Amino acid sequence: MQPTQQIPGVYHRKVGDIVVTAISDGYLDGSLDVMRNVDLDEAHRLLKAAFRPARRTSVNAFLIHSRGRLAIVDTGSGNYLLPTAGMVLRNLALGGIDPKSIDTVLLTHMHPDHSAGLTDMSSGERLYPNAELVMHENEPKHWFDDGAMAKADERAKRLYFQAGREHVEPYKDRTRLFTQGEVFPGVTAIPSLGHTPGHTAYLVASGNDQLMIWGDTVHVPEVQTAIPAAGMAFDTDLAAAAAARKRMFDRVAADGVLIAGMHVHFPSFSRLARRGNAYELHAEPWVHAFE
Ligand SMILES: [Zn+2]
C-alpha cells in the first residue's frame, strides 16, 4: 500500500520560553484572478518561476504556549473550504491538544478562513468553549456595521459580513477588544490595518527571541514578495493593505525577524530578505527536536 495522507500538520517552534505550534488547516487552490494592482501575466510568470503552476494558498493557525496558558491565533476555515482545508480540529486532536484547554483565541481578522473555525455552524456551539475571543476593536465595528454591509456586493455581504457575525456571535459575552499592546503573556498586538479595518499581526517575544505572526500580510507569497503593491480583491482597502504590507516587510527584513503567516506555505516559519525594491522569503529548515 502506498501512503495517501500526511502525518499531521503540526510543527513546534520555540521562541525563548514560549512554544509556538503551527497547525495546518490545509490549503486552497485558486486562480490569480483575485489579485489586484498587478499585471496578471507577470504574476503567472513569477509563480511559474517558483515552480508553482497555479495559486496554492496554505491556511494556517498557531498555538501559543506561554506561562502556563494556551492561545490559538485564528481558527482556520471550519467547513467553508472543504475538502482541502478545514483541518484545524483534526490536527489539534492529532497533536494532543484539547480545544477545551485553549483559554484565548486571538483573531487576526474576521474572514471565514480565520474565524469560521470558532463555531460549529450546525449547532451554533463554541468550538473553544473555555476561550475568551480577542481582536482589534475595528473588526466587529466594521463587520457589524449595517451601513458598510449595505454598500458591499452580494458575495461580500454573505461571505464576510453575515458569516463573520455568525462566527463571533456565540462569544459575545466573552470578547475582549483592543487597539494595540500586550494582549496575552508575551504577545503584543501590532495593528496592520488595510486587508481588513482591524487586521492585526501578533509579535511573540521572550528573552532575545521574537516571532512576528503577520496574519494576511501575503496571500500569494511568490507574487507579493516580488511585487509588494500587489493586493487581493478582498482587501477592504487595497492601498492601505499595500502600505501595511510594505511597512511589515521593511520591519521584519531590517531586523531579520522570524515570521509566520496564515498564508505562508506550512509550517511557514521564515525570514524575509530585501532585494532592492523586492523581497524574498526563506523558509527556516525543519528541525525534529527543539529546546
Ligand atoms: Zn486569510
Side-chain angles (χ1 to χ4, degrees), residues 25 112 115 206 210 252:
D25 189 51
S115 60
S206 173
Q210 287 194 338
V252 299

Side-chain angles (χ1 to χ4, degrees), residues 117-291:
L118 278 168
T119 298
D120 178 337
M121 295 314 292
S122 54
S123 65
E125 297 288 314
R126 294 189 304 274
L127 293 172
Y128 300 92
N130 300 317
E132 180 182 36
L133 176 61
V134 180
M135 61 181 151
H136 193 287
E137 65 175 19
N138 289 0
E139 282 300 287
K141 197 196 258 176
H142 177 69
W143 301 112
F144 280 83
D145 177 349
D146 290 334
M149 180 160 153
K151 282 183 232 150
D153 63 34
E154 284 310 312
R155 185 172 184 276
K157 270 182 190 143
R158 182 172 40 81
L159 199 56
Y160 301 135
F161 286 88
Q162 199 52 48
R165 293 177 187 195
E166 288 165 11
H167 303 153
V168 305
E169 183 74 18
Y171 293 80
K172 68 170 183 290
D173 59 354
R174 49 176 72 215
T175 296
R176 173 162 53 99
L177 303 178
F178 61 75
T179 53
Q180 57 177 32
E182 188 172 43
V183 291
F184 188 76
V187 181
T188 303
I190 310 288
S192 189
L193 316 181
H195 172 54
T196 64
H199 177 259
T200 295
Y202 294 101
L203 181 66
V204 180
S206 173
N208 292 326
D209 285 355
Q210 287 194 338
L211 166 69
M212 181 72 84
I213 301 177
W214 75 13
D216 280 14
T217 293
V218 300
H219 295 81
V220 189
E222 297 83 359
V223 176
Q224 290 172 295
T225 52
I227 306 174
M232 310 304 289
F234 42 85
D235 287 336
T236 306
D237 182 333
L238 266 170
R245 177 164 41 256
K246 194 71 181 17
R247 274 196 307 278
M248 180 62 74
F249 280 1
D250 284 340
R251 176 173 177 162
V252 299
D255 300 330
V257 176
L258 183 71
I259 69 99
M262 280 52 196
H263 303 306
V264 177
H265 302 297
F266 183 82
S268 96
F269 297 104
S270 303
R271 287 189 172 77
L272 190 74
R274 197 181 171 129
R275 301 278 184 256
N277 291 326
Y279 301 80
E280 277 172 13
L281 264 180
H282 295 273
E284 187 176 66
W286 192 92
V287 293
H288 111 126
F290 57 96
E291 51 184 53

